[in-house]
Coordinates of all heavy atoms in Angstrom, one line a residue:
M3 N 33.3 -22.2 14.0 CA 32.3 -22.8 13.0 C 30.9 -22.1 13.2 O 30.5 -21.8 14.3 CB 32.2 -24.3 13.4 CG 31.2 -24.9 12.4 SD 31.0 -26.7 12.8 CE 29.4 -27.1 12.1
M4 N 30.4 -21.7 12.1 CA 29.1 -21.0 12.1 C 28.0 -21.9 12.0 O 28.0 -22.7 11.0 CB 29.1 -19.9 11.0 CG 28.3 -18.7 11.3 SD 28.3 -17.5 10.0 CE 26.8 -17.9 9.2
T5 N 27.1 -21.7 13.0 CA 25.9 -22.6 12.8 C 24.7 -21.8 12.7 O 24.6 -20.7 13.2 CB 25.8 -23.5 14.2 OG1 25.8 -22.7 15.3 CG2 26.9 -24.6 14.2
L6 N 23.7 -22.3 12.0 CA 22.5 -21.5 11.8 C 21.6 -21.9 13.0 O 21.4 -23.0 13.3 CB 21.9 -22.0 10.5 CG 20.8 -21.2 9.9 CD1 21.3 -19.7 9.5 CD2 20.2 -21.8 8.6
D7 N 21.0 -20.9 13.6 CA 20.2 -21.1 14.7 C 18.8 -21.4 14.1 O 17.9 -20.4 13.8 CB 20.1 -19.9 15.6 CG 19.4 -20.2 17.0 OD1 18.6 -21.2 16.9 OD2 19.5 -19.3 17.8
L8 N 18.5 -22.7 14.0 CA 17.1 -23.1 13.4 C 16.0 -22.7 14.2 O 14.9 -22.4 13.7 CB 17.2 -24.5 13.1 CG 17.9 -24.9 11.7 CD1 17.9 -26.6 11.5 CD2 17.1 -24.4 10.6
D9 N 16.2 -22.8 15.5 CA 15.0 -22.5 16.4 C 14.6 -21.1 16.2 O 13.4 -20.7 16.1 CB 15.5 -22.9 17.8 CG 15.3 -24.3 18.2 OD1 14.6 -25.0 17.3 OD2 15.9 -24.6 19.2
T10 N 15.6 -20.1 16.1 CA 15.3 -18.7 15.9 C 14.7 -18.6 14.6 O 13.7 -17.7 14.5 CB 16.6 -17.9 16.0 OG1 17.3 -18.2 17.2 CG2 16.4 -16.4 15.8
L11 N 15.1 -19.1 13.5 CA 14.5 -19.0 12.3 C 13.1 -19.5 12.2 O 12.3 -18.9 11.6 CB 15.4 -19.9 11.2 CG 16.5 -19.1 10.5 CD1 17.3 -20.1 9.6 CD2 15.9 -17.9 9.7
K12 N 13.0 -20.7 12.9 CA 11.6 -21.1 12.9 C 10.6 -20.4 13.5 O 9.5 -20.2 13.2 CB 11.6 -22.6 13.6 CG 12.0 -23.8 12.6 CD 11.7 -25.1 13.2 CE 12.8 -25.5 14.3 NZ 12.5 -26.8 14.8
R13 N 11.1 -19.7 14.7 CA 10.1 -18.8 15.4 C 9.8 -17.6 14.5 O 8.7 -17.2 14.5 CB 10.8 -18.3 16.7 CG 10.6 -19.3 17.9 CD 10.8 -18.6 19.2 NE 12.3 -18.2 19.4 CZ 13.3 -19.1 19.8 NH1 12.8 -20.3 20.2 NH2 14.4 -18.7 20.0
M14 N 10.8 -17.2 13.8 CA 10.7 -15.9 12.9 C 9.6 -16.3 11.9 O 8.6 -15.5 11.6 CB 11.9 -15.5 12.2 CG 12.8 -14.8 13.2 SD 14.5 -14.6 12.4 CE 14.1 -13.5 10.9
V15 N 9.8 -17.3 11.2 CA 8.9 -17.8 10.1 C 7.4 -18.0 10.6 O 6.4 -17.6 10.0 CB 9.4 -19.2 9.5 CG1 8.4 -19.6 8.5 CG2 10.7 -18.9 8.7
H16 N 7.4 -18.6 11.9 CA 6.1 -18.9 12.4 C 5.5 -17.5 12.8 O 4.2 -17.3 12.4 CB 6.3 -19.6 13.7 CG 4.9 -19.9 14.5 ND1 4.1 -20.9 14.0 CD2 4.4 -19.3 15.6 CE1 3.1 -21.0 14.8 NE2 3.3 -20.0 15.8
G17 N 6.1 -16.5 13.2 CA 5.6 -15.2 13.5 C 5.1 -14.5 12.1 O 4.0 -14.0 12.2
I18 N 5.9 -14.7 11.1 CA 5.4 -14.2 9.8 C 4.2 -14.8 9.3 O 3.2 -14.1 8.9 CB 6.5 -14.3 8.8 CG1 7.7 -13.4 9.1 CG2 6.0 -13.9 7.3 CD1 9.0 -13.9 8.4
I19 N 4.1 -16.1 9.4 CA 2.9 -16.8 9.0 C 1.6 -16.6 9.8 O 0.6 -16.4 9.2 CB 3.2 -18.4 8.8 CG1 4.2 -18.6 7.7 CG2 2.0 -19.1 8.6 CD1 4.8 -20.0 7.8
T20 N 1.8 -16.5 11.1 CA 0.6 -16.4 12.0 C 0.1 -15.0 12.1 O -1.0 -14.8 12.6 CB 1.0 -17.0 13.3 OG1 2.0 -16.4 13.9 CG2 1.1 -18.5 13.3
T21 N 0.9 -14.0 11.7 CA 0.4 -12.7 11.7 C -0.4 -12.4 10.5 O -0.2 -12.8 9.4 CB 1.7 -11.7 11.6 OG1 2.6 -11.8 12.7 CG2 1.1 -10.2 11.5
R22 N -1.7 -11.9 10.8 CA -2.6 -11.5 9.8 C -2.0 -10.6 8.7 O -1.5 -9.5 9.1 CB -3.9 -10.9 10.3 CG -4.7 -11.9 11.0 CD -6.0 -11.3 11.6 NE -6.8 -10.8 10.5 CZ -7.9 -9.9 10.8 NH1 -8.2 -9.7 12.0 NH2 -8.6 -9.4 9.8
P23 N -2.1 -11.1 7.5 CA -1.2 -10.1 6.5 C -1.9 -8.8 6.2 O -1.2 -7.9 5.8 CB -1.5 -11.0 5.2 CG -2.6 -11.9 5.4 CD -2.6 -12.1 6.9
D24 N -3.1 -8.5 6.7 CA -3.8 -7.3 6.3 C -3.8 -6.5 7.6 O -4.5 -5.4 7.6 CB -5.2 -7.6 6.0 CG -6.1 -8.3 6.9 OD1 -5.5 -9.0 7.8 OD2 -7.3 -8.3 6.9
E25 N -3.0 -6.8 8.6 CA -3.1 -6.0 9.8 C -1.8 -6.1 10.6 O -1.2 -7.2 10.7 CB -4.2 -6.6 10.7 CG -4.9 -5.6 11.6 CD -6.1 -6.3 12.4 OE1 -7.1 -6.4 11.6 OE2 -6.0 -6.5 13.5
I26 N -1.4 -5.0 11.2 CA -0.2 -5.0 12.0 C -0.5 -4.4 13.4 O -1.6 -3.7 13.5 CB 0.9 -4.2 11.4 CG1 0.5 -2.7 11.1 CG2 1.5 -4.8 10.2 CD1 1.7 -1.9 10.8
G27 N 0.3 -4.7 14.4 CA -0.1 -4.1 15.7 C 0.8 -2.9 15.9 O 1.5 -2.4 15.1
C28 N 0.6 -2.4 17.1 CA 1.2 -1.1 17.6 C 2.7 -1.2 17.5 O 3.3 -0.3 17.1 CB 0.7 -0.6 18.9 SG -1.1 -0.1 18.9
D29 N 3.2 -2.4 17.9 CA 4.7 -2.5 18.0 C 5.3 -2.5 16.6 O 6.3 -1.8 16.3 CB 5.1 -3.9 18.7 CG 4.8 -3.9 20.1 OD1 4.6 -2.8 20.7 OD2 4.9 -5.0 20.9
E30 N 4.6 -3.2 15.7 CA 5.1 -3.2 14.4 C 4.9 -1.9 13.6 O 5.8 -1.4 12.8 CB 4.5 -4.3 13.6 CG 5.2 -4.9 12.5 CD 4.4 -6.0 11.7 OE1 3.7 -6.7 12.4 OE2 4.7 -6.2 10.4
C31 N 3.9 -1.3 13.9 CA 3.6 0.0 13.4 C 4.7 1.1 13.9 O 5.2 1.9 13.2 CB 2.2 0.6 13.8 SG 1.8 2.3 13.3
F32 N 4.9 1.0 15.2 CA 5.9 2.0 15.8 C 7.3 1.7 15.2 O 8.1 2.6 15.0 CB 6.1 1.8 17.4 CG 6.9 2.7 18.0 CD1 6.3 4.0 18.1 CD2 8.1 2.4 18.5 CE1 7.2 5.0 18.8 CE2 8.9 3.3 19.2 CZ 8.4 4.7 19.3
E33 N 7.7 0.4 15.0 CA 8.9 0.0 14.4 C 9.2 0.7 13.0 O 10.2 1.0 12.6 CB 9.1 -1.5 14.2 CG 9.6 -2.2 15.5 CD 9.6 -3.6 15.4 OE1 9.5 -4.2 14.2 OE2 9.4 -4.4 16.4
Q34 N 8.1 0.8 12.3 CA 8.2 1.3 10.9 C 7.7 2.8 10.8 O 7.8 3.4 9.7 CB 7.2 0.5 10.0 CG 7.5 -1.0 9.9 CD 6.7 -1.8 9.0 OE1 6.4 -1.4 7.9 NE2 6.0 -2.9 9.4
L35 N 7.4 3.4 11.9 CA 6.9 4.8 11.9 C 7.9 5.8 11.4 O 7.6 6.5 10.7 CB 6.3 5.1 13.3 CG 5.4 6.2 13.4 CD1 4.2 6.0 12.4 CD2 4.8 6.5 14.8
D36 N 9.2 5.5 11.9 CA 10.2 6.5 11.5 C 10.3 6.6 10.0 O 10.6 7.6 9.3 CB 11.5 6.3 12.3 CG 12.1 4.9 12.1 OD1 11.3 4.1 11.6 OD2 13.2 4.7 12.3
R37 N 10.4 5.4 9.4 CA 10.5 5.4 8.0 C 9.3 6.0 7.3 O 9.4 6.6 6.3 CB 10.7 3.8 7.4 CG 11.4 3.7 6.2 CD 12.1 2.4 6.0 NE 11.2 1.2 6.0 CZ 10.6 0.7 4.9 NH1 10.9 1.2 3.7 NH2 9.8 -0.4 5.0
F38 N 8.1 5.7 7.8 CA 6.9 6.2 7.3 C 6.9 7.7 7.3 O 6.6 8.4 6.3 CB 5.7 5.7 8.1 CG 4.3 5.9 7.6 CD1 3.9 5.0 6.6 CD2 3.7 7.1 7.8 CE1 2.6 5.2 6.0 CE2 2.4 7.4 7.3 CZ 1.8 6.4 6.3
V39 N 7.4 8.3 8.4 CA 7.5 9.7 8.5 C 8.6 10.4 7.7 O 8.3 11.3 6.9 CB 7.8 10.1 10.1 CG1 8.2 11.6 10.2 CG2 6.8 9.8 11.0
E40 N 9.7 9.6 7.5 CA 10.7 10.1 6.5 C 10.3 10.3 5.2 O 10.5 11.2 4.5 CB 12.0 9.2 6.7 CG 12.8 9.5 7.7 CD 14.0 8.4 8.0 OE1 14.3 7.7 7.0 OE2 14.5 8.5 9.0
M41 N 9.5 9.2 4.7 CA 8.9 9.2 3.3 C 7.9 10.3 3.2 O 8.0 11.0 2.1 CB 8.2 7.8 3.2 CG 9.2 6.6 2.9 SD 8.3 5.3 2.3 CE 8.1 5.6 0.7
T42 N 7.0 10.6 4.2 CA 6.1 11.7 4.1 C 6.8 13.0 4.0 O 6.5 13.8 3.2 CB 5.3 11.6 5.5 OG1 4.6 10.3 5.5 CG2 4.3 12.7 5.4
L43 N 7.9 13.1 4.8 CA 8.6 14.4 4.8 C 9.4 14.6 3.4 O 9.5 15.7 2.9 CB 9.6 14.5 6.0 CG 9.0 14.7 7.3 CD1 10.1 14.5 8.3 CD2 8.5 16.1 7.4
A44 N 9.8 13.5 2.8 CA 10.5 13.5 1.6 C 9.5 13.7 0.3 O 9.9 13.8 -0.8 CB 11.2 12.3 1.3
G45 N 8.2 13.8 0.7 CA 7.2 14.0 -0.4 C 6.8 12.7 -1.1 O 6.2 12.8 -2.2
K46 N 7.3 11.6 -0.6 CA 6.9 10.3 -1.3 C 5.6 9.8 -0.7 O 5.1 10.3 0.3 CB 8.0 9.2 -0.9 CG 9.3 9.6 -1.5 CD 10.4 8.6 -1.1 CE 11.7 9.1 -1.6 NZ 12.9 8.3 -0.9
N47 N 5.0 9.0 -1.5 CA 3.6 8.4 -1.1 C 3.8 7.3 0.0 O 3.9 6.0 -0.5 CB 2.9 7.8 -2.3 CG 1.4 7.7 -2.0 OD1 1.1 7.5 -0.8 ND2 0.6 7.7 -3.0
A48 N 4.0 7.6 1.3 CA 4.2 6.6 2.2 C 3.0 5.7 2.4 O 3.2 4.5 2.7 CB 4.5 7.4 3.6
A49 N 1.8 6.3 2.3 CA 0.6 5.4 2.4 C 0.6 4.3 1.3 O 0.2 3.2 1.7 CB -0.5 6.3 2.2
E50 N 1.1 4.6 0.1 CA 1.1 3.6 -0.9 C 2.3 2.5 -0.8 O 2.1 1.4 -0.9 CB 1.3 4.2 -2.3 CG 0.9 3.3 -3.5 CD 0.8 4.2 -4.7 OE1 1.9 4.2 -5.4 OE2 -0.2 4.6 -5.1
A51 N 3.5 3.1 -0.2 CA 4.5 2.3 -0.1 C 4.4 1.4 1.2 O 4.9 0.2 1.2 CB 5.7 3.1 0.2
M52 N 3.7 1.9 2.2 CA 3.6 1.2 3.5 C 2.1 1.1 3.8 O 1.7 1.7 4.9 CB 4.4 1.7 4.5 CG 5.9 1.8 4.2 SD 6.9 2.9 5.3 CE 7.1 1.8 6.6
P53 N 1.3 0.4 3.2 CA -0.2 0.5 3.3 C -0.6 -0.1 4.7 O -1.6 0.4 5.3 CB -0.7 -0.4 2.2 CG 0.4 -1.2 1.8 CD 1.7 -0.4 1.9
L54 N 0.2 -1.0 5.2 CA -0.2 -1.5 6.6 C -0.1 -0.5 7.7 O -0.8 -0.5 8.6 CB 0.6 -2.9 6.8 CG 0.3 -4.1 5.9 CD1 1.2 -5.3 6.3 CD2 -1.2 -4.4 5.9
V55 N 1.1 0.3 7.6 CA 1.2 1.3 8.5 C 0.1 2.4 8.4 O -0.4 2.8 9.4 CB 2.6 1.9 8.3 CG1 2.7 3.2 9.3 CG2 3.7 0.9 8.6
Q56 N -0.2 2.7 7.2 CA -1.3 3.7 7.0 C -2.6 3.2 7.5 O -3.3 3.9 8.2 CB -1.3 3.9 5.4 CG -2.6 4.8 5.0 CD -2.5 6.2 5.4 OE1 -1.5 6.8 5.6 NE2 -3.6 6.8 5.7
D57 N -2.8 1.9 7.2 CA -4.1 1.4 7.7 C -4.1 1.4 9.2 O -5.2 1.7 9.8 CB -4.1 -0.1 7.2 CG -5.3 -0.9 7.7 OD1 -6.5 -0.4 7.3 OD2 -5.1 -1.9 8.4
H58 N -3.0 1.0 9.8 CA -3.1 1.0 11.2 C -3.2 2.4 11.9 O -3.9 2.6 12.9 CB -1.7 0.5 11.8 CG -1.7 0.3 13.3 ND1 -2.2 -0.8 14.0 CD2 -1.2 1.1 14.3 CE1 -2.1 -0.6 15.2 NE2 -1.5 0.5 15.5
L59 N -2.6 3.4 11.2 CA -2.7 4.8 11.7 C -4.2 5.3 11.6 O -4.5 6.0 12.5 CB -1.8 5.7 10.8 CG -0.3 5.6 11.1 CD1 0.5 6.4 10.2 CD2 0.1 5.9 12.7
E60 N -4.9 4.8 10.6 CA -6.2 5.2 10.5 C -7.2 4.5 11.6 O -8.1 5.1 11.9 CB -6.8 4.8 9.1 CG -6.3 5.7 8.0 CD -6.6 5.2 6.6 OE1 -7.3 4.1 6.5 OE2 -6.1 5.8 5.6
R61 N -6.7 3.4 12.1 CA -7.5 2.7 13.0 C -7.1 2.9 14.6 O -7.9 2.8 15.5 CB -7.5 1.2 12.7 CG -8.3 0.8 11.6 CD -8.5 -0.6 11.2 NE -7.2 -1.1 10.9 CZ -6.4 -1.8 11.7 NH1 -6.8 -2.2 12.9 NH2 -5.2 -2.2 11.3
C62 N -5.8 3.4 14.6 CA -5.3 3.5 16.1 C -4.9 4.9 16.4 O -4.0 5.5 15.8 CB -4.1 2.6 16.1 SG -3.3 2.6 17.7
R63 N -5.7 5.4 17.3 CA -5.5 6.9 17.7 C -4.1 7.1 18.3 O -3.5 8.0 18.2 CB -6.6 7.2 18.6 CG -6.6 8.7 18.9 CD -7.6 9.0 20.1 NE -7.2 10.3 20.7 CZ -8.1 11.3 20.6 NH1 -9.3 11.2 20.2 NH2 -7.7 12.5 21.1
A64 N -3.8 6.1 19.2 CA -2.5 6.3 19.9 C -1.2 6.5 18.8 O -0.4 7.3 19.0 CB -2.1 5.1 20.9
C65 N -1.3 5.6 17.9 CA -0.2 5.6 16.8 C -0.4 6.8 15.9 O 0.7 7.3 15.5 CB -0.1 4.2 16.0 SG 0.3 2.8 17.0
R66 N -1.6 7.2 15.7 CA -1.8 8.3 14.9 C -1.2 9.6 15.5 O -0.5 10.4 14.9 CB -3.3 8.6 14.7 CG -3.7 9.7 13.9 CD -3.8 9.5 12.3 NE -3.7 10.7 11.5 CZ -3.5 10.7 10.3 NH1 -3.4 9.5 9.7 NH2 -3.4 11.8 9.6
E67 N -1.4 9.7 16.9 CA -0.9 10.8 17.6 C 0.6 10.8 17.6 O 1.4 11.8 17.5 CB -1.5 10.8 19.0 CG -2.9 11.4 19.0 CD -3.5 11.3 20.4 OE1 -2.9 10.8 21.3 OE2 -4.7 11.7 20.5
E68 N 1.2 9.6 17.8 CA 2.7 9.3 17.8 C 3.2 9.8 16.5 O 4.3 10.5 16.3 CB 2.8 7.8 17.9 CG 4.3 7.6 18.4 CD 4.7 7.8 19.7 OE1 3.9 7.4 20.6 OE2 5.7 8.4 19.9
F69 N 2.5 9.4 15.3 CA 2.9 9.7 14.1 C 2.9 11.3 13.8 O 3.9 11.9 13.3 CB 2.0 9.1 13.0 CG 2.1 9.7 11.6 CD1 3.2 9.5 10.8 CD2 1.0 10.4 11.1 CE1 3.3 10.0 9.5 CE2 1.1 11.0 9.8 CZ 2.3 10.8 9.1
E70 N 1.9 11.9 14.3 CA 1.7 13.4 14.0 C 2.7 14.1 14.9 O 3.3 15.2 14.5 CB 0.4 13.7 14.4 CG -0.7 13.6 13.2 CD -2.1 13.7 13.6 OE1 -2.4 14.1 14.7 OE2 -2.9 13.4 12.7
A71 N 3.0 13.6 16.1 CA 4.1 14.2 17.0 C 5.5 14.1 16.3 O 6.3 15.1 16.3 CB 4.0 13.6 18.3
L72 N 5.7 13.0 15.9 CA 7.0 12.7 15.2 C 7.2 13.6 14.0 O 8.2 14.2 13.7 CB 7.1 11.3 14.8 CG 8.5 10.6 14.5 CD1 9.5 10.8 15.6 CD2 8.3 9.1 14.2
L73 N 6.1 13.7 13.1 CA 6.2 14.5 12.0 C 6.4 15.9 12.4 O 7.2 16.6 11.7 CB 4.8 14.3 11.3 CG 4.7 14.8 9.8 CD1 5.6 14.0 8.9 CD2 3.2 14.7 9.2
A74 N 5.6 16.4 13.4 CA 5.8 17.8 13.7 C 7.0 18.1 14.3 O 7.7 19.2 14.0 CB 4.8 18.2 14.8
T75 N 7.7 17.2 15.0 CA 9.1 17.4 15.5 C 10.1 17.4 14.4 O 11.0 18.3 14.4 CB 9.4 16.2 16.4 OG1 8.4 16.1 17.5 CG2 10.7 16.4 17.1
L76 N 10.1 16.5 13.4 CA 11.0 16.4 12.3 C 10.8 17.8 11.5 O 11.8 18.2 11.0 CB 10.9 15.2 11.5 CG 11.4 14.0 12.3 CD1 11.1 12.7 11.5 CD2 12.9 14.1 12.4
R77 N 9.6 18.2 11.2 CA 9.4 19.4 10.5 C 10.1 20.6 11.1 O 10.6 21.5 10.5 CB 7.9 19.5 10.2 CG 7.5 18.8 9.1 CD 6.1 19.3 8.6 NE 5.7 18.6 7.3 CZ 4.5 18.0 7.2 NH1 3.6 18.1 8.1 NH2 4.2 17.3 6.1
A78 N 9.9 20.6 12.6 CA 10.5 21.8 13.2 C 12.0 21.8 13.2 O 12.6 22.8 13.1 CB 10.0 21.7 14.7
L79 N 12.6 20.5 13.1 CA 14.0 20.5 13.1 C 14.5 20.8 11.7 O 15.7 21.2 11.6 CB 14.5 19.1 13.4 CG 14.3 18.6 15.0 CD1 14.5 17.1 15.1 CD2 15.2 19.4 15.8
D80 N 13.8 20.5 10.8 CA 14.2 20.7 9.4 C 14.6 22.1 9.1 O 13.8 23.0 9.1 CB 13.2 20.2 8.4 CG 13.8 20.1 7.0 OD1 15.0 19.8 7.0 OD2 13.0 20.1 6.1
Ligands
ZN121 ZN1 -1.4 1.3 17.2

């Protein structure tokens, strides 16, 4: 019998609601960074599609460097 884990769901929803909608942290940025880089490499407007990541990269030097390193690595591999 399949049961829905309500506690897990509640924690997820709580996390979504309590996170400021206009700001993401380094963990969240890092989680989405590979997709952001892939879009950039594909010539898509990653900044427009993922504005929160773009916003974080502009404010966070560590993530910006991570992004640039990832971008350079994937470009070298291509
Ligand atoms: Zn960061």
